[in-house]
Amino acid sequence: QVQLAESGGGLVQAGGSLRLSCAASGSIFRINAMGWYRQAPGKQRELVAAVTSEGNANYAESVKGRSTVSRDIAKNTVYLQMNNLKPEDTAVYYCNANGLLRNLMRFGSWGQGTQVTVSS
């Protein structure tokens, strides 16, 4: 009942930047938190960054100082600006959102993922 549409992935050289976007749509009453996870080949999915409706952000240690997560609450959209990208940032990046539907049921949704490839 909640769809997440991701964009902004691609191929970038080490040291470059990318901005990922994720827009949520559907029967949404409130989004509590939105964020980004990533999964590299052979590894578990891990949190990259997330932000609550109050604006509290949480980052993985590996991206602190290089990434900024932000939200446009009116647009139900979350952004991830990543700078100084490294080859180890290569992964599929997934958007995640959780909150309440209009029927006040809780939801947790994932996007389909967007590939980020950083070449050395």
Side-chain angles (χ1 to χ4, degrees), residues 44-94:
Q44 289 187 333
R45 191 173 297 188
E46 62 176 3
L47 173 71
V48 179
V51 59
T52 68
S53 56
E54 292 80 18
N56 297 316
N58 185 35
Y59 295 91
E61 286 295 326
S62 59
V63 303
K64 276 185 180 178
R66 301 189 293 122
S67 298
T68 302
V69 63
S70 59
R71 276 181 66 176
D72 185 329
I73 293 177
K75 295 181 179 180
N76 286 336
T77 299
V78 65
Y79 307 95
L80 180 66
Q81 176 69 42
M82 297 187 293
N83 302 318
N84 190 22
L85 283 160
K86 304 176 181 180
E88 50 264 41
D89 293 318
T90 295
V92 178
Y93 284 68
Y94 296 92

Side-chain angles (χ1 to χ4, degrees), residues 26-30 100-105:
S27 184
I28 300 170
F29 176 70
R30 184 181 72 221
L100 292 176
L101 300 172
R102 288 175 185 165
N103 62 9
L104 301 186
M105 296 291 288

Side-chain angles (χ1 to χ4, degrees), residues 96-117:
N96 175 269
N98 65 78
L100 292 176
L101 300 172
R102 288 175 185 165
N103 62 9
L104 301 186
M105 296 291 288
R106 294 181 181 180
F107 75 88
S109 296
W110 291 94
Q112 291 187 330
T114 184
Q115 178 70 46
V116 172
T117 303

